[in-house]
Amino acid sequence: MLTDKPARKGVQTRERLLEAALVEFKRAGMAAADTGAIASAAGVAHGTFFFHFPTKEHVLLELEKREEDRMAAELTRSFGKPHTVRDTLAECFRVLEKLERRLGNRLFKDFLALHFSTSRPPAEESQNHPVIVAVVSELGRARDRGEIPADVDVMHNGVSFLVGLYALLITMPGARQIRRPVIDEYLTTYMYGLRAT
């Protein structure tokens, strides 16, 4: 627990900057977002932004950590109910649709593109990704139940499924009537790859 006033103030400033950055990212996208406007909206000097977030991408990394924790918890709750392997994969898409509604289409695509960024700070590359852990763990349980053959590498399949899903959602229009048939076909194709029953 933070007990000293300067530390509490720093946390509060960081939160204000994060909230202001998310508003600006939703409006303009990360690349075009104005750090001066973010600092102004947060009521701090421009340089304060860079004290808390060395780059705009660091804001997305903070958002990623928070949202991945939320999504992983949601997936884990869903996986606690009776379901099939296909339901496991489909739930990943449903959780991402909810994220898109929270973030808006522009910020959602920036969020997903972060997973493919070549400029992602190196210290963050090995960061634990709770969504991956939740999906791979659930595929492992399905394998243990005999729903996926024992020789299937659930780590490789879980990661490649999510990476492919993220890539599809970045490149596809957001309209549900366009997206849904493509996602359904993607799920069917992945089920063949898992050779799930």
Side-chain angles (χ1 to χ4, degrees):
M1 184 170 112
L2 297 174
T3 56
D4 64 286
K5 194 172 183 176
R8 276 196 314 274
K9 186 175 180 188
V11 170
Q12 291 168 350
T13 299
R14 184 179 176 85
E15 286 300 313
R16 284 199 321 273
L17 281 164
L18 181 63
E19 289 172 19
L22 295 182
V23 169
E24 177 69 2
F25 286 5
K26 285 179 184 180
R27 183 193 69 75
M30 186 188 72
D34 179 353
T35 56
I38 293 168
S40 178
V44 298
H46 190 193
T48 304
F49 175 87
F50 296 104
F51 174 78
H52 288 277
F53 300 104
T55 67
K56 290 185 279 185
E57 207 164 52
H58 282 83
V59 175
L60 277 185
L61 289 169
E62 179 72 25
L63 176 65
E64 176 188 58
K65 181 186 179 320
R66 293 174 185 208
E67 289 296 341
E68 282 202 354
D69 287 343
R70 179 194 303 219
M71 290 187 296
E74 195 171 335
L75 287 169
T76 300
R77 280 192 302 275
S78 175
F79 297 159
K81 302 170 189 166
H83 63 283
T84 65
V85 174
R86 186 181 178 96
D87 293 336
T88 296
L89 302 180
E91 187 62 20
C92 296
F93 174 62
R94 283 190 289 273
V95 167
L96 285 165
E97 279 188 310
K98 290 179 184 177
L99 176 65
E100 184 177 22
R101 285 192 293 274
R102 282 194 303 275
L103 300 183
N105 185 261
R106 184 179 299 207
L107 180 53
F108 174 70
K109 288 187 175 191
D110 282 343
F111 176 92
L112 293 180
L114 180 64
H115 293 86
F116 303 95
S117 173
T118 58
S119 61
R120 184 181 180 109
E124 304 296 335
E125 287 178 4
S126 61
Q127 183 181 11
N128 183 18
H129 291 281
V131 170
I132 292 172
V133 171
V135 171
V136 169
S137 296
E138 184 54 32
L139 291 177
R141 285 188 287 275
R143 185 181 58 194
D144 294 344
R145 292 189 301 264
E147 297 167 18
I148 297 172
D151 63 339
V152 169
D153 181 340
V154 293
M155 173 61 90
H156 171 77
N157 278 279
V159 171
S160 63
F161 169 75
L162 288 170
V163 167
L165 182 59
Y166 293 174
L168 275 174
L169 293 174
I170 289 170
T171 57
M172 288 174 45
R176 189 172 180 84
Q177 64 274 18
I178 295 170
R179 187 184 275 177
R180 181 44 92 177
V182 175
I183 296 298
D184 285 343
E185 182 62 29
Y186 181 65
L187 296 179
T188 298
T189 301
Y190 234 87
M191 289 294 291
Y192 287 128
L194 287 170
R195 295 171 282 141
T197 56

